[in-house]
Amino acid sequence: MDVKYAVPALDRAHAVLGLLSEEPYQWKLSDLSRELGISKSTLYSLLQTMERLQWINRDSNETYAIGKSVGDFGSAYFRQFDLIEEFRRLAKPVMRRLQESIQLARLDGSDVLYLAKVEAPSPVQMVSGPGVRVPAHSTGLGKSLMSDMSAEQVRLLLPEEQLPKRTAHTIDNREQFIRELEQVHLDGYALDEQEGVMGFCCVSAPIRRRNEIVAAVSCSLPLYNWETGKAEALREIRSLAAELSSR
C-alpha cells in the first residue's frame, strides 16, 4: 500500500492498541511513551481522543485497556462472515431462477472487494470471486456501496478528477460519477452497462444494517441477455438485498 497518504496519528493509535491488546491495564502514559518512542505531549492528546471515542478505557490507576468501540468493530468484522453464509443460502435460489451468477461485495477504500459468489452453470462467466478487487467507480457494486456518500466524501475517496477507464463505457469523470451516485441513492439500485467488463452488464443493490450500507449484491448478465433479462434480474437482486438487510 502506498504510504504517501499515511496518517501518522493513526499509525500511533494502531501501535497503542497493539500493546493494550496484549497486556490490558498494564500500561500508563509514561510507559507507552517510552515503549513506543512517542513524546508524552503527543501521546497525551492521542490517548484523550481514543478514550473519548471509546477505543480505550482508563482505570483508577491511570492504566489503559482496549475499549468498547474496538470490541464493536471486532464484532462487525466477524458478522460479515455470518453475512457471507446468509448470502450463499439466499442467493442459490436466485441464481437458479435467473441462471446467472450472483455476487456479494463490500467497499475497501476506493475498491470493490468481492466476498462471495454463487456461480451459475452458464459457460459464459465474468471473472469475479472472493478476494478479487476492482475500482469501485467502474462497477454497479461500487455505485451501490457508495450511494449514501456525500459529494465531499466521494471527493476525499477519489482525489483525482480524472478516473481510470476500464472500458470505453467506464465513467471517467469524478463529478459525473457523483451525479450517478445521487441517482443510485434515489433509485435504490445501480446499473453497470459494460463499464467494468466489455460484454457484461450488471444490476446491483445495497445491503443495509442499522441504516448503513455494509455490502452489496449484484447479478452480471452477458450483453446478449441484457435487454430480455434486466427487469427480472433487478427484481430478484433488490429482493435479495432487502432480505439480507432485514437479517
Side-chain angles (χ1 to χ4, degrees):
M1 183 176 292
D2 193 344
V3 298
K4 180 170 63 173
Y5 300 109
V7 180
L10 290 179
D11 286 334
R12 298 185 191 111
H14 183 77
V16 169
L17 292 173
L19 284 179
L20 300 187
S21 65
E22 294 175 0
E23 296 182 284
Y25 294 119
Q26 298 297 315
W27 299 89
K28 295 185 177 182
L29 185 151
S30 57
D31 302 323
L32 291 168
S33 174
R34 185 170 53 253
E35 179 71 18
L36 298 174
I38 304 172
S39 71
K40 288 183 180 179
S41 59
T42 297
L43 191 58
Y44 177 81
S45 298
L46 180 65
L47 294 177
Q48 288 285 311
T49 302
M50 293 175 72
E51 189 174 359
R52 175 175 59 80
L53 296 172
Q54 295 186 300
W55 289 13
I56 60 174
N57 291 328
R58 178 169 46 126
D59 68 4
S60 57
N61 294 320
E62 299 295 319
T63 59
Y64 294 90
I66 297 292
K68 174 182 179 297
S69 290
V70 175
D72 291 341
F73 295 150
S75 296
Y77 173 78
F78 286 106
R79 278 199 302 274
Q80 74 181 348
F81 298 106
D82 295 333
L83 176 60
I84 290 171
E85 290 307 311
E86 290 172 353
F87 163 78
R88 286 175 176 150
R89 179 172 60 83
L90 295 172
K92 284 179 182 177
V94 176
M95 178 275 292
R96 285 194 289 267
R97 287 192 292 272
L98 295 176
Q99 288 296 296
E100 301 290 355
S101 296
I102 314 296
Q103 292 86 216
L104 173 73
R106 65 173 175 85
L107 193 66
D108 188 9
S110 60
D111 289 340
V112 164
L113 174 63
Y114 287 88
L115 300 175
K117 180 179 182 180
V118 174
E119 196 161 319
S122 169
V124 180
Q125 293 280 342
M126 190 178 76
V127 178
S128 64
V132 173
R133 294 173 180 270
V134 294
H137 74 276
S138 66
T139 66
L141 281 165
K143 294 177 190 178
S144 288
L145 290 164
M146 296 177 66
S147 60
D148 280 359
M149 288 187 178
S150 67
E152 186 57 32
Q153 287 174 313
V154 176
R155 293 185 187 108
L156 287 172
L157 190 64
L158 303 173
E160 302 297 328
E161 176 63 31
Q162 192 72 19
L163 304 176
K165 291 180 77 72
R166 298 193 76 217
T167 76
H169 302 282
T170 306
I171 297 174
D172 62 351
N173 178 279
R174 186 180 61 189
E175 297 309 305
Q176 182 185 350
F177 182 63
I178 288 171
R179 291 192 294 273
E180 177 86 356
L181 291 180
E182 291 169 352
Q183 189 61 51
V184 171
H185 179 79
L186 291 173
D187 294 339
Y189 66 87
L191 302 180
D192 157 11
E193 299 187 85
Q194 300 190 88
E195 294 168 46
V197 179
M198 289 298 295
F200 285 90
C201 299
C202 167
V203 299
S204 175
I207 299 168
R208 287 184 168 85
R209 299 279 172 93
R210 298 179 182 177
N211 295 319
E212 292 186 4
I213 294 175
V214 297
V217 288
S218 73
C219 175
S220 298
L221 291 80
L223 185 60
Y224 58 77
N225 283 344
W226 180 236
E227 290 305 321
T228 56
K230 175 171 61 175
E232 184 184 7
L234 186 54
R235 285 194 300 271
E236 290 282 0
I237 288 300
R238 294 188 75 180
S239 176
L240 175 60
E243 191 166 3
L244 288 167
S245 295
S246 68
R247 297 284 158 166

